[in-house]
């Protein structure tokens, strides 16, 4: 119905031309002229519609590209720390958990030493700049694709897939040295160091266990005087108290 209305004039011109074609006495030239007018109009309309649909396709492609960019931007914001560009805590957990599912992995955690003093002495913006510089120092050292995360205020993590504890320790030592050697922009006029803890974890370890071991090693490094590396495997085993003796003759000290 809609089509018949839309092409009513063309249908009439076509019927006219057919009738002229079938009837040798009819005015064929007039019918042909009428057909030409309608045919040209149809061509003009078709070109206009094609141009319009090309424009719509371009607009749609552009909107698709914008949506794609927006999705990437949202994904980036959901997984990265806005200050330093390092992975955020949630992304560190996801990345490390995924890594531990299919390989052995070292988790290296580091914490800037006496960071509170940096804020107190040079101001919070200078402290922020130190955080950014530490992340770019880690990236320069480990490569742009290394999984470097900021898990807390001035605490960072590095996910390092390896089956070799010694390799993990050597990466941690290089990190500790690189931060101690880093020259920070003014107004920071002193050496900044970090304490580093490492846990080496076989495939299948949970993130929580890997992290708590690395954290324990980190605090051992703080206790040992800072600016050093401790591995969980090096830590002394927890002292278990001897079983209570039932021998009453044992002397008490
Ligand atoms: N500038 C800045 N400071 C932060 C940020 N997040 C946390 N901090 C500060 O980091 C400091 C951490 O201080 P502490 O936990 O006492 O640790 P610390 O001074 O580094 O001492 P140690 O870890 O024991 O060597 C606090 O003063 C926080 O306010 C941040 O995003 N920017």
């Amino acid at each position: 119905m809609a089509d018949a209305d839309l092409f009513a004039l063309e249908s009439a011109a076509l019927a006219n031309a057919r009738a002229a074609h079938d009837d040798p006495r009819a005015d064929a030239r007039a019918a042909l002229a009428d057909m030409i007018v309608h045919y040209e109009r149809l061509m003009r309309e078709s070109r206009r519609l094609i141009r319009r649909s090309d424009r719509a396709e371009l607009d749609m492609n552009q909107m698709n590209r914008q949506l794609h960019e927006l999705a990437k931007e949202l994904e980036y914001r959901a997984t990265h720390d806005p200050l330093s560009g390092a992975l955020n805590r949630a992304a560190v957990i996801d990345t490390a958990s995924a890594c531990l599912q299919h390989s052995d992995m070292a988790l290296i955690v580091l914490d800037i030493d006496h960071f509170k003093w940096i804020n107190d002495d040079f101001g919070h913006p200078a402290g922020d700049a130190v955080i950014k510089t530490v992340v770019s120092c880690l990236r320069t050292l480990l490569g742009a694709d290394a999984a470097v995360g900021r898990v807390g205020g001035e605490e960072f993590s590095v996910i390092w897939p390896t089956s070799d504890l010694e390799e993990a320790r050597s990466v941690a030592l290089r990190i500790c040295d690189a931060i101690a050697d880093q020259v920070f922009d003014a107004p920071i006029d002193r050496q900044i160091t970090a304490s580093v803890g490492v846990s080496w974890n076989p495939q299948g370890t949970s993130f929580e266990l890997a992290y708590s071991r690395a954290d324990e090693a980190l605090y051992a490094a703080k206790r040992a005087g800072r600016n050093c590396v401790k591995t969980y495997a090096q830590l002394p085993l927890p002292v278990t108290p001897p079983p209570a003796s039932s021998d009453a003759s044992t002397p008490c000290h």
Side-chain angles (χ1 to χ4, degrees):
M1 181 65 185
D3 282 356
D5 282 344
L6 194 60
F7 295 109
L9 292 175
E10 284 74 19
S11 300
L14 189 60
N16 219 3
R18 278 209 186 100
H21 181 262
D22 293 344
D23 180 357
R25 290 162 302 152
D27 183 356
R29 279 180 69 86
L32 190 58
D34 197 27
M35 274 276 282
I36 289 170
V37 168
H38 286 288
Y39 189 80
E40 285 176 346
R41 191 184 77 84
L42 276 181
M43 278 179 54
R44 271 198 312 277
E45 281 301 299
S46 302
R47 285 200 191 95
R48 196 176 60 80
L49 287 176
I50 288 169
R51 277 198 301 273
R52 189 192 281 181
S53 108
D54 282 353
R55 271 201 306 275
E57 193 181 335
L58 279 178
D59 288 351
M60 221 162 70
N61 285 344
Q62 195 184 352
M63 265 157 59
N64 267 339
R65 275 196 301 274
Q66 283 171 346
L67 270 177
H68 187 69
E69 290 298 313
L70 202 64
K72 262 176 39 187
E73 168 83 17
L74 283 177
E75 154 103 26
Y76 183 87
R77 285 189 194 195
T79 51
H80 289 77
D81 162 41
L83 175 65
S84 65
L87 294 176
N88 64 20
R89 189 182 178 80
V92 167
I93 295 173
D94 287 351
T95 310
S97 303
C99 181
L100 282 165
Q101 272 178 16
H102 59 76
S103 67
D104 301 339
M105 187 197 90
L107 187 62
I108 301 170
V109 292
L110 54 141
D111 185 283
I112 302 173
D113 297 326
H114 300 305
F115 190 63
K116 187 176 176 319
W117 295 352
I118 297 167
N119 276 334
D120 291 351
D121 294 352
F122 302 108
H124 207 270
D128 282 356
V130 167
I131 288 172
K132 288 203 257 184
T133 306
V134 164
V135 169
S136 64
C137 170
L138 293 174
R139 290 234 171 93
T140 307
L141 181 73
L142 306 172
D145 292 336
V148 173
R150 182 178 173 213
V151 284
E154 83 299 12
E155 187 179 318
F156 308 87
S157 66
V158 173
I159 294 163
W160 196 263
T162 181
S163 297
D164 183 351
L165 172 61
E166 264 320 299
E167 179 193 324
R169 209 175 105 76
S170 120
V171 172
L173 283 168
R174 282 168 53 213
I175 289 174
C176 194
D177 288 347
I179 293 173
D181 291 344
Q182 175 72 43
V183 176
F184 290 83
D185 287 342
I188 310 290
D189 59 0
R190 68 171 76 130
Q191 185 194 37
I192 289 178
T193 61
S195 301
V196 187
V198 187
S199 71
W200 178 83
N201 310 279
Q203 178 183 357
T205 309
S206 69
F207 171 79
E208 288 72 21
L209 187 57
Y211 185 79
S212 69
R213 286 170 170 170
D215 201 41
E216 219 175 296
L218 167 64
Y219 281 94
K222 290 274 182 192
R223 282 195 304 273
R226 299 177 171 81
N227 189 21
C228 64
V229 173
K230 292 285 177 196
T231 56
Y232 178 78
Q234 280 180 324
L235 302 185
L237 293 170
V239 181
T240 41
S245 171
S246 56
D247 184 354
S249 66
T250 308
C252 279
H253 298 288

